[in-house]
Structure formats: structure tokens, C-alpha cells
Amino acid sequence: MQLGMIGLGRMGANIVRRIVREGHTCVGYELQADAIDRLRDELGDSFTGTTDLAEFVARLTPPRAVWVMIPAGATGAVVEQVAALLEPGDIVIDGGNSRYHEDIARSAALAPKGIHYVDIGTSGGVYGLERGFCLMIGGEREPVEHLDPLLKSIAPGIGAAERTPGRTGAPSTAEQGYLHCGPAGAGHFVKMVHNGIEYGAMSAYAEGLNILHRANAGAARAGEFSAELTPLEHPEYYRYDLDIPEVAEVWRRGSVVASWLLDLTAAELYADPNLDSFDGRVSDSGEGRWTLDAAVDTGVPAPVLAAALFGRFSSRDGALYADKMLSAMRKAFGGHDELPEA
Amino acid sequence: MQLGMIGLGRMGANIVRRIVREGHTCVGYELQADAIDRLRDELGDSFTGTTDLAEFVARLTPPRAVWVMIPAGATGAVVEQVAALLEPGDIVIDGGNSRYHEDIARSAALAPKGIHYVDIGTSGGVYGLERGFCLMIGGEREPVEHLDPLLKSIAPGIGAAERTPGRTGAPSTAEQGYLHCGPAGAGHFVKMVHNGIEYGAMSAYAEGLNILHRANAGAARAGEFSAELTPLEHPEYYRYDLDIPEVAEVWRRGSVVASWLLDLTAAELYADPNLDSFDGRVSDSGEGRWTLDAAVDTGVPAPVLAAALFGRFSSRDGALYADKMLSAMRKAFGGHDELPEA
Amino acid sequence: MQLGMIGLGRMGANIVRRIVREGHTCVGYELQADAIDRLRDELGDSFTGTTDLAEFVARLTPPRAVWVMIPAGATGAVVEQVAALLEPGDIVIDGGNSRYHEDIARSAALAPKGIHYVDIGTSGGVYGLERGFCLMIGGEREPVEHLDPLLKSIAPGIGAAERTPGRTGAPSTAEQGYLHCGPAGAGHFVKMVHNGIEYGAMSAYAEGLNILHRANAGAARAGEFSAELTPLEHPEYYRYDLDIPEVAEVWRRGSVVASWLLDLTAAELYADPNLDSFDGRVSDSGEGRWTLDAAVDTGVPAPVLAAALFGRFSSRDGALYADKMLSAMRKAFGGHDELPEA
Amino acid sequence: MQLGMIGLGRMGANIVRRIVREGHTCVGYELQADAIDRLRDELGDSFTGTTDLAEFVARLTPPRAVWVMIPAGATGAVVEQVAALLEPGDIVIDGGNSRYHEDIARSAALAPKGIHYVDIGTSGGVYGLERGFCLMIGGEREPVEHLDPLLKSIAPGIGAAERTPGRTGAPSTAEQGYLHCGPAGAGHFVKMVHNGIEYGAMSAYAEGLNILHRANAGAARAGEFSAELTPLEHPEYYRYDLDIPEVAEVWRRGSVVASWLLDLTAAELYADPNLDSFDGRVSDSGEGRWTLDAAVDTGVPAPVLAAALFGRFSSRDGALYADKMLSAMRKAFGGHDELPEA
């Protein structure tokens, strides 16, 4: 089967590699000609590319399958441009991190032209080439079924995990790592919540490891924490000089918190035990915020997901004005001065 | 009636002033002789002081009432010292911010000697001289009743607030601003939770004002927030250049969030509209932590109080290691770099 | 000065009462004729009313000032209806709890017709008649200034609180309880955040009082909490049988947490000490949600406000499915059964 | 090598099975004679058991290794009893879920007798027999090294996960699934934080799945959520009827949130798609609480771990009194009635 890929950045190129590996062919569109050349050198005749959008569309056989894999901010305009060149029955796929609201709007805009719109939330990051990508898919049933051979090639396959106890018979697509979740936007909706969960789980590990990091706060020499006004009531309980990289490692086998995130964390800690290469200004890329919006809209308590998101805001000084306000109040009612820098 | 006051710092001196003002007399004990002299000059014969503890005890008429008003860390030792000089029937009062666990222990230690122990949580801060102090009291009934004339003088009195609808007849002591809460430790327990609430309410204002502070994030020139990766979806909704000191002021009259904390906040904001005199490193003094311990022990959800406490920890870089960990994970799975400083 | 009031419910009628009391006149529009009659009986000639919208508009002298005070859901349609009857220079006021997004849209829609739109966030609840209403105002400068005499009558006035230290000279309108916050939507934006703060402060009190409520968990007879699997490590620290209504009362005078909310809480607790007349299903009315949306949009950490909102969701069983999921996981990895009902 | 096991419940028996499988021998002590018989039948001569403690000790060859694997509440007394029968050089292991404070005390109490105390936090639950147990160990270096052959047999072994990139040479014990973390208590400290993380990660999944569960809130027929006072502003964004068991399944392969907890969750959801067999009253077993205590003591923000713990408290009606208080306040200032049951 043939796929057209718009955007040959890391994610796009890796998806191309996976489908070509499984015997499919691909036409790429990309502004950087050298990215095309490199992929052509690597993949041979199964891949061709062009920097001309009309040429890109012309090379695809109807019904065309065009996957747009570019930064979320640019996706809308590119979908419009390519859709203007497509024909009824063709399929446009947004594989990036668009908000699902936009999928609903784009799908509705393309429907009158007979062009199908499919949104695919794609998880796997830099490891996707090797592990396969987890695909969460929204759109009409027919085009999604049409794409099945491609989706199967991109997804990890059933071998990537042990089969869930109780499941028998032919594996569902979910067991192979891809799932048609529902109508337009459903793929990005599920991916959005997936990332919200990711934020929460990441913070669970980070908070716990931070507690281990401070487990030596009661040591006589623990000057690092001396600026705390409240002295430790029981310093004898905080005299552990823990080897955090080894702790992360030991949890990888047999424990309840074993996970892929922990695998990555253990690797990072092994390479940089004190995390000296980081400043602690943590970014967020939209999905965590939108997940919280969805929780608020539908009346779902999401304190863990919210705390994880707010922690990122705070890491980038988002709380600074509020903190100054607290210090001002303390000064006002109690005459308290602020603590000096530790 | 006569009171012995150990510690003539701001709090101790103001309590002395209030009781003398109401016709009582006071003997002070304090290491700084000039603090004694200044108070003597101000209050005249109703007040005498000494830097000698035995002399202090000797000047008091049995049954003695000795109020210890010194930093929490030093209270235990001083209570022991003075108790060694007291007689059965005398009363020791801890008016500071001791943890209530210690009250239970101290009370039990003094009981065999016939010395009564009373713990008093004291709220009012630097305004207590003028407004009166709110007193939360723990201990046996008899000594607390014996102290009633003094307590009444220190407390704000019923005129400090409108009477609660439905209350009639002779006002309870609570309506006058002091309350015998229960046995040893009950006073500091109630004061502890009071401060926990205080932390939560402070953060509610601070967070809300921070949102108002960022209400102009969508202005074309809003470079301050440009380091955020997720662009504002609707910048047209965040184009308000609000006058925060005036907003705090307007809420003081007629609104549901009117409070004494807001009065203080409005004053601070009027004096320093951008809070430039603060760095935002917010201290905490024990009660907020102990409140959380009590919530955890008894299975009470306290997410607001916890969030307020953790915000203070974060303001003093308590989350830094965890934040570095999050950045490390993001780099690991997504190849993401950290955001540069804004 | 003359005001037209659409909606004579509790809030609308009380605003009418306050302006008439100060010498203004009012024309009311309301579907319930008897509501008009009652107000007419009470207020005399300064008030007239009608159930006919065209008649209502005809009775007003240009430039008309029309205040719409009806449930948020109905406001949009009524603003449209009345605006169709107004003339250039007239003013429509939305005094309800609309989302500020709608103010921006409505203001823009009315501008071409020369009709001014003013949004007013109104705090004060059932006590507004007596205390005055705190008014947060958005819109163009000119119509807001035109309305000044009315606004001043509705607001509490400077006497409602002591003057903020440092403020001198002629009081600002904020000191009188009303504030022009900025362009269209600014009034409802500030009111929205006000309510967000209100949610947070309410939860701070509620959590703290809940901890006091459980302060007796260590009593031998404390069967109420026996379903907890983790036994209290130190039951001797939780043997306080506190009188919660008296504690709320004592905090009203002299303490740092004194506030109007606390005044109300003390009154409720006095009337119903065990809160037996409540089920604990706490509603929320939009502003708390929108405040969180604003925090998320602008990157402001708001963990306290979020916790307060999520607590309300949980009180209405919003967490039930998540809780079942947790029990399912516990059963899966540890073979744990759920706790029975206490 | 020989191990003495006190307690042949599920955990104890599975540990015995693993060491016998690797060629070690075991003497068991247990009050239930039939539990001994069953294990004897299964394991043959490598295992003997007794219901007599002195006999148990007599059968062990010095230096004895005695593993106590019984409920945390009973561990202290049993350690004392067995220690009274041991000799210098013998080792007592607490493999249960004791608080690490107790380890410090017990270790110090046994030291003068020359008896070594080793605390081992054991993760793996009902799957430990098959997967191996993750072991977090505290105590002196010498006895821990002495136990190495046994620990290696109980732990999962390096094959249980791919090797962390960058690690070369002979695998550390952490890579095999067991780690000597530090002196007395260090094992249970690390296990405690492990469980704290577990709570947080569990809640991240549960909250996210709950949002998916409500993704259909905007459907016309969505009566389930109709008791919410704030209507959905955009019902068109919440019309997804998601198959939650399939979503959990698809995330198991290739996604960033893949984990063992997710594997278990997917299995539970497959077996009981609507979780009808659960009531949602979620227990907690101490470690989550103690983790929070440690965070508070050392000034580490742990909002995610706290939210997870408080969510469990709320699931068991821990917030009920606070919620009633909120409803009381709303009635007081706004005249609002509570929402009826949905």
C-alpha cells in the first residue's frame, strides 16, 4: 500500500521507515530537500520525495492517503493546502498533536468535498522506530479500515507485551497497538488524556525520588536544608544517603511501579546521577492543559493531573507573584521577614 | 489580678500592656534589662521586672500564674526551670507556638508536683495590642477558670465583631475572643489548625491575584510569558491590564471574600503595588506541617491545606530536584530540551 | 437618576431597593406581575413596573440605563431582545454571572448600533440589601462614568470597612465598593476570579474544621473511624472532643482567619451544630471552573483553587469511577478486597 | 543455604517456594499446622516446618537467618520473641510493611545482644512467585552480604527487564532486583516511598480513565450528569462513547504510559468493563501516609502523592463533614440549596 507523508522530521521519517520495512511504499513531501535525499539513500526505491506539493499529490494513487506530521501550529494551514489538491475519496491524516476541537472542525469542513479526515494520536517518541508507535485513531469507519495495513505496520504489534489474561482468539487491533477510538477528534482526545496521565505518572516518580533525595536531611552536615525555619523534629529518621540511580534501577524488576517511564528514568539517572545537566524548567506541550479543561468541563476531579501540570508552571516561575503576595501577607500580620536564599 | 510574664518580646510585651490597661499587675522576667526598663517607663507601678528567675518567682503571689512567651524551641527548657521553683497550685502557661504533643508531655510531667499547665494558642500578631488576641486554651478546667480575668483582658471582647445571629443572653467566652477548648494540648491543637486554615486562605487569595496579574497575557506586547511553549489559543480573552491594588481594595466592602487577611493584603499592595520588596521565598513555621500530619493521621482529606504548604516548599526550591527529573524524562522519551529562562 | 431593571428576583429587587433608597427612580420589567406589585407597594412612586418590554423601554428616558439581572443562561437572549428596542447612546448592563467571553462578544455586537454594553460582577448575596453590593465593572469609560450615581448607591460605601492605612484624600471608587476594572468583560473576569478565591477560602475553612471534627479519633470509643485499615499510631494525640461551633465563634475576634465567611460559618454552626440539615453534595456555579480555565490558559499554578473545585466534583460522586478503578488495581496486584462501609 | 521463615501466608510461602526452587532449604514456623503440611507436600525434603518456636530455632544452623513475614501490627512482638531465642551472629529479617521508625528502634535494641536486624521492603504482590520480588534492604553490610544467595533467589534476576543503556560489566544487585539501600530502616524507607509513588501513578491512570469515561457527557441522552448546575458550554466536544477496556489495552504497547500497573488495569477492565464489582471505597495501608509525613518533615512538595492519598480518604467519606460545611456556607451567603442526588 502507498502512503503520502507530509513532514519528514524525526517522527515522520520514522513512520515512513516502519511502513517501508513492512513492504509499503511512500511518497514524501518536505521543504528540506536534503531530508528527502537522506531518506531516499536509506530506503531505496520504496521511497520517493518532492518539495512540490502538487507533484506530491500527483504521485499518489487515488484514493490517496496523506499523513500530515508537522508541528501542531502549522497543521491547519497545511491540511487546507493539500485538501485543495485532493479528490473525493482521498484521506487526510493529522498525526500530530492538534487539539481535538480542530479535528472536529476540519473533518466537518472537508466532508462536503468528499475528503475523509482521520486524526491519529501517536505515542512512542524517539523510541517509536524500534518499539513501534501506539496509535489512537479518530474518524469515520471506512477510511480507518482502508488504512489498516499501514496502521498495522506502524504499531508495535501484539508481541510487544504479554497478552492480557482472559483475552483469546484473534487479537483486536488494540492488542496490536492501534485503536479506532471513535468519530473525528476521538484519536486526539484519547491521546490528550494519555498525555495527561503521563504528566501525572511522571510527577509521581519525580516527587518520590525527591523525597529519597532529601532522606539525608537529618545528617549533622545537612547544611543544604538549613534555611528551613522549622527544625526537623526527628533528625534521626533522616540519615539515609541513598543511591538514587540504583534505587530507580532496582524498581525496574518485580516491583509494582515498574514501567517504561521508570526504565527511561533509570537510564537518565545512570548517565547523570545528580541531574546536573538540567535546570528544572519543565515545559508542557498543551495536552496536559487540555486534559484539565476536559476534566473541568465534565465535572471529573483530576487533582493528580492538575498538580502535575501546576508543578510545571511553578518550575517556570509561574507562582512567583503569588509567592511574593504570601510573603507580603506574612510581613503584614506577623512582622515576618522572608527567608534568605539557602 | 497578677500575672508573671516570661519573655518581653513583642508578643509578651503587648499582652502585658493589655492586662495592665485593664487594671491588673504584672511581674516580668527577661534577660534584656532594657526591655524591662522600657516597659516600666511606659506602664508605671503596675509593672515590675527582673532578670533573675528566682526573684521573679518570689515576687509572685501564690497561686502564681506564669505565662511563658518565648520562641517555641526554647519553651520546654524554660518551663522546666521555672517549674522547679513553683509550688503546688501554681499555673504555668505556654502561650507560644509549641506543638501540642509537647503540651501533653509537659502537663503530665508537672501534674505529680501539683503544678497546673495551660497551653494557649494566641492569634493576632502585630495587631494584637490594638485588636486584642484571640486565645485558644487547653488544660484543666480549674486553673483556666482561675485565669479568667486575665484572659478576658487579653482577648478582643465581644465588641470586636457583630454578634452572631441567634445568639442571645450572656455572651460565651468564645464571643469575647477566648475559649477553653479541652484538656492539655487542646489550645495548641486548635491554634495549629487555625494556622493551617490561614495558609490555605492566604494561598487562595495569592493564586487568584496571580491570575489577575496575568490577565494581560494575550496583549501583543506580552513578552513576559513568551517562553511558554503552548501559545494562548485565545489571546483576545487575556487583554486586561488590571489595577491589582484597587481590585483588592474593592473586595474589602460587600464581597464574599472580605476578611482581615484581605485588609492586610490591600494595604501591602497599596504600599508596594508590584511587590518589588519581596523575593517570594515563603517561610512556614510548623503549624501548617503539623496540621497536615493530623489530617493524614485521622484520614481527613486536606488538599487545599496541603497545596498551600507545598507551595511554600516550592517557593524555597523544594521541588528543584523533582523538576530536573521531569526534564530528564522528557528528554529521554521525546528528545525535548528544557525551556530557556524567560 | 433613572434605572431600568429587567428581572425582579431577589438580587434585582434588592438593587432596586438600594437605588430608590438613595433618591433614584426605577422602572422594572418582569414576567411575574405580582413581583412588580409587591415592589410597587413597598417602594411607592419611585418605582413602576411592567410586563411588557416595549412599554418598559418607552418609560425610560434616553440615554437609557437597562440592567439585566436574570439567570446567566437567559441573559444573552434578553440582551438581544431589549437591545433591538434601544437607541444609540443607551446602555445595557449585564449584572449577572455571565462568562466574560460573552461580554466581549455582546459588546462587539452592540457597538455598531451605538449601544453601550457594561458588565458588572455583583457580590454580596442575600446580604447585599443591607451591606451593599461589591461591584466589579467592565466596559467603556464613558457609560461607566455616566452610571456613577447609581453604582455609588448600590455599593456599600467607604464606611463599610476601615480605611486602608496609607490611603488619604478623596476615596477612590474602589474604597466605596465599586471599581471600573477595564474594557468589556473585565468586570465579570474579576468577579470570576473573586469566586475562585471564594471557593478556595471556603475549602480552607471546611478542611480545617473537618480536622477538628476528627480530633477525637483516638478515643477508645471512636468506632466511627474504625474501618480505617491503618490504626492510629498515637491515639493519645487524638482525644479532643471539641465544640466546633464555639471554635468558629472564637476565631471571629482577633484572629488572622477572621472573615465574613467565618461569620456566616459560625452562624450556621450555631444553628445546626452537626450540620444535620446538609447532605454534603456541593454545587458549583461556573466561575470556579472558568477561573481554573484562565489559570491553565495563562500558566498560573492554582492548586488551591483547583483542589476546592475538585472537592465539589467529588462531593457529587465525580470520582466514583476512578475510585472503582483504584480498587480494581489493588485487587489485581495485591489481592486486596475493598473496605466495607464504615 | 538455609532460611527460617516465620509466617507461611501467601507472601511467606511464595518466598519459600522461590528459594527452594533455587536449591536452598527452609524451616518454617507457623501457627496453622495445615499450612505447613501443604507446603511440605509441595516442596518435599527441602522444607520442614513446626508450630513450636523453640523447635524452629533449634532446627536452624547458626548463624541463623530468620525472616519474619507476618502482618505489620504483629511483627514487633514476634521479633522480640524469636530474638530471645537467638544467639550472637544470628540475623532477624523483617520482610513486612513495618514503618522504618520501628526498624531503627528494633535494630538498636538487638545490637547489644549481637543479633543483626535486616529490614526488607518487598514488592511484587500476588505475582511475586512468578515474577520474583523486588527487594529493598536496610541494615549492616555484613549480614546483608551473608544473605546474598537467598536474596538473589527471591529477586527477579536481570532477565526480568532489558538492561539499562550504558550499564556494562557485571550487573549490580539492583539490576538483579535487590538493593542494599543503607542502614537500619533504609529498606522500609525506600519501600515506603515506592508505595507513595504507586499511589500517585495509580491515581494518574484512574483520573485519566475517568475523564475518558465521561467523554460522552455532551450526548443528548447524557442524563447521568444532568444534576450539574453548570451546563456544558460545548456539548459537541463531549460526544465520544469510548471503549475504555480497549483504550487501556492499546496503551500497553508502544506508548509512554505502558507499565505493569497498566497491564493489570487492562486485565481488570477486560474482565469487568464497567467495574461493577467494586464500590469505590479505596483502602490505604500506611506507606502512602508515611511518605507524606516524610515529605512534610523534609520540606519536599508532594502534591501528586498527597492528592492520591486524599482521594482515598474521600472515597471512604472522609470529606463528608467538610462538604456539609461548604453547603452550609453556600446557603448562608447565597441562599443556595444543595443539589439533589443525581
Side-chain angles (χ1 to χ4, degrees):
Chain A
M1 193 170 169
Q2 185 199 45
L3 177 71
M5 174 64 72
I6 294 183
L8 298 173
R10 190 171 48 203
M11 291 286 281
N14 282 344
I15 288 173
V16 170
R17 287 184 181 101
R18 283 191 69 90
I19 61 164
V20 166
R21 205 186 268 176
E22 297 292 320
H24 304 292
T25 61
C26 182
V27 181
Y29 167 76
E30 163 68 59
L31 298 179
Q32 317 290 331
D34 55 342
I36 296 173
D37 295 341
R38 278 198 307 270
L39 212 52
R40 169 87 191 180
D41 289 347
E42 178 189 333
L43 298 178
D45 289 348
S46 298
F47 175 79
T48 66
T50 168
T51 58
D52 182 282
L53 193 59
E55 166 75 18
F56 167 77
V57 171
R59 287 200 205 163
L60 295 169
T61 314
R64 298 173 184 84
V66 176
W67 186 302
V68 182
M69 201 71 190
I70 58 177
T75 298
V78 168
V79 165
E80 266 186 49
Q81 286 165 28
V82 72
L85 304 170
L86 295 181
E87 295 171 294
D90 289 348
I91 304 169
V92 185
I93 302 156
D94 175 359
N97 278 325
S98 297
R99 191 165 193 178
Y100 74 98
H101 299 178
E102 298 167 42
D103 297 319
I104 295 174
R106 283 182 206 140
S107 174
L110 295 178
K113 307 179 192 172
I115 299 172
H116 303 292
Y117 180 89
V118 172
D119 55 282
I120 304 190
T122 307
S123 183
V126 297
Y127 289 81
L129 174 58
E130 168 198 343
R131 296 171 88 218
F133 294 92
C134 177
L135 303 178
M136 295 147 263
I137 305 156
E140 300 154 274
R141 177 174 306 276
E142 195 182 61
V144 173
E145 284 179 355
H146 178 75
L147 296 170
D148 190 77
L150 294 171
L151 301 172
K152 194 187 298 290
S153 303
I154 299 165
I158 190 165
E162 278 187 48
R163 198 161 196 194
T164 292
R167 286 187 180 259
T168 53
S172 72
T173 67
E175 293 186 83
Q176 302 171 61
Y178 63 109
L179 178 66
H180 182 201
C181 300
H188 280 140
F189 187 92
V190 171
K191 173 60 160 52
M192 170 189 85
V193 173
H194 165 280
N195 283 30
I197 291 172
E198 172 193 308
Y199 283 31
M202 288 170 72
S203 284
Y205 288 113
E207 289 181 7
L209 293 169
N210 197 11
I211 296 169
L212 297 182
H213 175 65
R214 288 230 179 165
N216 213 14
R221 60 186 158 74
E224 191 183 346
F225 309 118
S226 64
E228 307 279 354
L229 280 192
T230 315
L232 262 176
E233 209 169 343
H234 292 290
E236 70 274 19
Y237 289 154
Y238 299 99
R239 289 188 179 144
Y240 298 120
D241 185 14
L242 302 170
D243 184 336
I244 313 255
E246 288 299 282
V247 170
E249 185 65 38
V250 80
W251 288 345
R252 295 183 62 225
R253 291 176 181 86
S255 100
V256 175
V257 302
S259 71
W260 190 57
L261 269 173
L262 181 64
D263 294 345
L264 299 174
T265 304
E268 290 292 319
L269 281 165
Y270 186 75
D272 181 7
N274 296 311
L275 303 174
D276 292 325
S277 54
F278 300 96
D279 286 329
R281 296 179 66 81
V282 190
S283 189
D284 75 275
S285 58
E287 291 87 356
R289 300 182 178 204
W290 305 332
T291 301
L292 204 50
D293 286 343
V296 167
D297 281 352
T298 58
V300 171
V304 161
L305 308 192
L309 181 65
F310 292 146
R312 295 188 177 199
F313 291 172
S314 288
S315 81
R316 282 140 43 197
D317 299 331
L320 184 58
Y321 183 81
D323 291 338
K324 290 182 173 189
M325 193 72 71
L326 295 174
S327 285
M329 291 183 199
R330 295 187 81 244
K331 173 162 161 275
F333 66 71
H336 303 295
D337 285 327
E338 283 194 309
L339 283 177
E341 284 258 357
Chain B
M1 192 167 170
Q2 184 199 46
L3 177 71
M5 174 64 72
I6 294 184
L8 298 173
R10 189 172 49 203
M11 291 286 282
N14 282 344
I15 289 172
V16 170
R17 287 183 181 102
R18 283 190 69 91
I19 62 164
V20 166
R21 203 187 270 176
E22 297 292 320
H24 304 292
T25 63
C26 181
V27 182
Y29 167 77
E30 162 70 57
L31 297 180
Q32 317 290 331
D34 54 343
I36 296 172
D37 294 343
R38 278 198 307 270
L39 212 52
R40 170 85 190 180
D41 289 348
E42 178 188 334
L43 298 177
D45 289 349
S46 299
F47 175 79
T48 68
T50 166
T51 59
D52 182 283
L53 193 59
E55 165 76 15
F56 167 78
V57 171
R59 287 201 205 162
L60 295 169
T61 314
R64 297 172 185 85
V66 176
W67 186 303
V68 182
M69 200 72 189
I70 60 178
T75 298
V78 168
V79 165
E80 268 187 49
Q81 286 165 29
V82 73
L85 303 169
L86 296 180
E87 295 171 296
D90 289 349
I91 304 168
V92 185
I93 301 156
D94 176 359
N97 278 326
S98 296
R99 191 165 191 178
Y100 74 98
H101 299 178
E102 298 167 42
D103 298 319
I104 294 174
R106 283 183 205 138
S107 174
L110 295 178
K113 308 180 192 173
I115 299 172
H116 303 292
Y117 180 89
V118 171
D119 55 281
I120 304 191
T122 308
S123 182
V126 297
Y127 289 79
L129 175 59
E130 167 198 344
R131 295 171 89 218
F133 293 93
C134 176
L135 303 177
M136 294 147 265
I137 306 157
E140 302 154 274
R141 175 173 310 273
E142 196 181 61
V144 174
E145 283 180 354
H146 178 76
L147 296 169
D148 189 78
L150 293 170
L151 301 172
K152 195 187 297 289
S153 303
I154 299 166
I158 191 167
E162 278 187 49
R163 198 160 197 195
T164 291
R167 286 188 180 261
T168 54
S172 71
T173 68
E175 293 186 82
Q176 301 169 64
Y178 64 110
L179 177 68
H180 182 200
C181 300
H188 280 141
F189 187 92
V190 172
K191 174 59 160 53
M192 170 189 85
V193 174
H194 166 279
N195 283 28
I197 293 171
E198 172 192 309
Y199 283 31
M202 287 170 73
S203 284
Y205 288 114
E207 290 181 6
L209 293 169
N210 197 9
I211 296 169
L212 296 182
H213 174 66
R214 287 232 179 162
N216 213 13
R221 58 183 161 73
E224 191 182 348
F225 308 118
S226 63
E228 307 278 354
L229 281 192
T230 314
L232 262 176
E233 209 169 344
H234 291 290
E236 71 274 19
Y237 289 154
Y238 298 99
R239 288 188 179 144
Y240 298 120
D241 185 14
L242 302 170
D243 184 336
I244 313 255
E246 289 298 281
V247 169
E249 184 66 36
V250 79
W251 288 344
R252 296 183 61 225
R253 292 173 179 87
S255 101
V256 174
V257 302
S259 72
W260 191 57
L261 269 173
L262 181 64
D263 293 348
L264 299 174
T265 303
E268 290 290 320
L269 280 166
Y270 186 76
D272 180 6
N274 296 312
L275 303 173
D276 292 326
S277 54
F278 300 95
D279 286 330
R281 295 180 66 82
V282 190
S283 190
D284 74 276
S285 58
E287 292 87 356
R289 299 181 180 206
W290 306 332
T291 301
L292 204 50
D293 287 343
V296 167
D297 280 352
T298 58
V300 171
V304 160
L305 307 192
L309 181 65
F310 290 146
R312 294 187 179 200
F313 291 172
S314 288
S315 81
R316 281 140 45 198
D317 298 331
L320 183 58
Y321 183 82
D323 290 338
K324 290 181 174 190
M325 194 73 71
L326 295 176
S327 285
M329 290 183 201
R330 294 188 82 244
K331 172 163 161 275
F333 66 70
H336 303 295
D337 287 325
E338 283 192 307
L339 283 177
E341 285 258 355
Chain C
M1 193 167 166
Q2 185 199 46
L3 177 70
M5 175 64 73
I6 295 184
L8 297 174
R10 189 171 50 202
M11 290 286 282
N14 282 343
I15 289 172
V16 170
R17 288 183 181 100
R18 282 191 69 91
I19 62 165
V20 165
R21 203 187 271 176
E22 295 293 320
H24 303 292
T25 62
C26 183
V27 180
Y29 167 76
E30 164 68 58
L31 298 179
Q32 317 290 331
D34 54 343
I36 295 172
D37 294 343
R38 280 198 306 272
L39 212 51
R40 170 85 191 183
D41 288 348
E42 177 189 333
L43 298 178
D45 290 347
S46 298
F47 174 79
T48 67
T50 167
T51 58
D52 182 283
L53 193 60
E55 165 77 16
F56 167 77
V57 172
R59 287 200 208 162
L60 294 169
T61 315
R64 298 172 184 86
V66 176
W67 186 302
V68 181
M69 202 70 188
I70 59 178
T75 299
V78 169
V79 165
E80 266 186 51
Q81 286 164 29
V82 72
L85 304 170
L86 296 181
E87 294 171 295
D90 289 349
I91 304 170
V92 184
I93 302 157
D94 176 359
N97 277 326
S98 297
R99 190 165 194 180
Y100 73 98
H101 299 179
E102 298 167 43
D103 298 318
I104 294 174
R106 284 182 206 139
S107 174
L110 295 178
K113 308 180 191 170
I115 299 172
H116 303 291
Y117 180 88
V118 172
D119 54 283
I120 304 190
T122 308
S123 184
V126 297
Y127 289 80
L129 174 60
E130 167 198 347
R131 295 171 89 218
F133 294 93
C134 176
L135 303 178
M136 294 147 265
I137 305 156
E140 301 154 274
R141 177 174 308 274
E142 195 180 60
V144 174
E145 284 180 352
H146 178 76
L147 296 169
D148 190 78
L150 293 171
L151 301 172
K152 196 187 297 290
S153 303
I154 300 166
I158 191 165
E162 278 187 50
R163 198 160 195 195
T164 291
R167 286 188 179 259
T168 53
S172 71
T173 68
E175 293 186 83
Q176 302 170 62
Y178 64 109
L179 177 67
H180 182 202
C181 299
H188 280 141
F189 186 92
V190 171
K191 174 58 159 54
M192 169 189 86
V193 173
H194 166 281
N195 283 30
I197 292 172
E198 172 193 307
Y199 282 31
M202 287 170 73
S203 285
Y205 287 113
E207 290 181 7
L209 293 168
N210 197 9
I211 296 169
L212 297 182
H213 174 65
R214 287 229 179 165
N216 212 14
R221 59 184 159 75
E224 190 181 347
F225 308 119
S226 64
E228 307 279 354
L229 281 192
T230 314
L232 262 176
E233 209 169 344
H234 292 289
E236 71 273 20
Y237 289 154
Y238 299 99
R239 289 188 178 144
Y240 299 120
D241 185 14
L242 302 170
D243 184 337
I244 313 258
E246 287 300 280
V247 170
E249 184 66 37
V250 79
W251 288 344
R252 295 183 62 225
R253 292 175 180 85
S255 101
V256 174
V257 303
S259 71
W260 191 57
L261 269 173
L262 181 63
D263 294 346
L264 299 174
T265 304
E268 290 291 320
L269 281 165
Y270 186 76
D272 180 6
N274 295 312
L275 303 173
D276 292 325
S277 53
F278 300 96
D279 287 329
R281 296 180 65 83
V282 190
S283 189
D284 75 276
S285 58
E287 292 86 356
R289 301 181 178 205
W290 305 332
T291 301
L292 204 50
D293 286 342
V296 167
D297 280 351
T298 59
V300 170
V304 161
L305 307 192
L309 181 65
F310 291 145
R312 296 188 177 198
F313 291 172
S314 288
S315 79
R316 282 142 40 200
D317 299 331
L320 183 58
Y321 183 82
D323 291 338
K324 291 182 174 189
M325 193 72 71
L326 295 175
S327 285
M329 291 183 201
R330 295 188 81 246
K331 171 162 162 277
F333 66 71
H336 304 296
D337 285 327
E338 284 193 307
L339 283 176
E341 284 258 359
Chain D
M1 193 168 169
Q2 185 199 46
L3 177 71
M5 175 62 73
I6 295 184
L8 298 173
R10 189 171 48 201
M11 290 286 282
N14 281 344
I15 289 172
V16 170
R17 288 184 181 101
R18 283 190 69 89
I19 63 164
V20 166
R21 201 187 274 177
E22 297 291 321
H24 304 292
T25 62
C26 182
V27 181
Y29 167 76
E30 163 69 57
L31 298 180
Q32 318 289 332
D34 54 342
I36 296 173
D37 295 342
R38 278 198 306 270
L39 213 51
R40 170 85 190 182
D41 289 348
E42 177 189 335
L43 298 178
D45 289 349
S46 299
F47 174 80
T48 67
T50 168
T51 59
D52 181 282
L53 193 59
E55 167 75 15
F56 168 77
V57 171
R59 286 201 207 161
L60 294 169
T61 315
R64 298 174 185 84
V66 176
W67 186 304
V68 182
M69 201 70 190
I70 58 178
T75 298
V78 169
V79 165
E80 267 186 51
Q81 287 164 29
V82 74
L85 304 170
L86 295 180
E87 293 171 294
D90 288 349
I91 304 168
V92 184
I93 301 156
D94 176 359
N97 278 325
S98 297
R99 191 166 192 178
Y100 74 99
H101 299 178
E102 298 166 43
D103 298 318
I104 294 174
R106 283 182 206 140
S107 174
L110 295 178
K113 308 181 191 171
I115 299 172
H116 303 293
Y117 179 89
V118 172
D119 55 283
I120 304 191
T122 307
S123 183
V126 296
Y127 289 80
L129 175 59
E130 165 198 346
R131 294 171 88 218
F133 294 93
C134 176
L135 302 178
M136 294 147 265
I137 307 156
E140 300 155 274
R141 177 175 307 274
E142 197 182 59
V144 174
E145 284 180 353
H146 178 76
L147 296 170
D148 190 78
L150 293 171
L151 301 172
K152 196 187 297 290
S153 304
I154 300 165
I158 190 165
E162 277 187 49
R163 198 159 197 196
T164 291
R167 286 190 179 258
T168 55
S172 72
T173 68
E175 293 186 83
Q176 301 169 64
Y178 64 109
L179 178 67
H180 182 200
C181 300
H188 280 141
F189 187 92
V190 171
K191 174 59 160 53
M192 169 188 86
V193 173
H194 166 280
N195 283 29
I197 292 172
E198 172 192 308
Y199 283 31
M202 288 170 72
S203 285
Y205 288 113
E207 291 181 6
L209 293 169
N210 198 8
I211 296 169
L212 296 183
H213 175 64
R214 287 230 180 165
N216 212 13
R221 58 182 160 75
E224 191 181 346
F225 308 117
S226 63
E228 306 279 353
L229 280 192
T230 315
L232 262 176
E233 208 169 345
H234 291 290
E236 70 274 19
Y237 288 154
Y238 299 99
R239 290 190 178 143
Y240 298 120
D241 185 13
L242 302 171
D243 183 335
I244 313 254
E246 287 300 280
V247 170
E249 184 65 37
V250 79
W251 287 345
R252 295 182 63 223
R253 291 174 180 87
S255 100
V256 174
V257 303
S259 72
W260 191 57
L261 269 172
L262 181 64
D263 293 347
L264 299 174
T265 304
E268 290 291 319
L269 281 166
Y270 186 76
D272 181 5
N274 295 312
L275 303 173
D276 291 326
S277 55
F278 301 95
D279 285 330
R281 296 180 65 84
V282 191
S283 188
D284 74 276
S285 58
E287 293 86 356
R289 299 181 179 206
W290 306 332
T291 301
L292 204 50
D293 286 344
V296 166
D297 280 352
T298 58
V300 170
V304 161
L305 307 191
L309 181 66
F310 292 145
R312 295 188 179 200
F313 292 172
S314 288
S315 80
R316 282 137 46 197
D317 298 331
L320 184 58
Y321 184 82
D323 291 338
K324 290 181 174 189
M325 193 72 71
L326 295 175
S327 285
M329 291 183 200
R330 295 188 81 243
K331 171 163 161 274
F333 66 71
H336 304 295
D337 286 327
E338 283 193 306
L339 283 177
E341 285 259 356

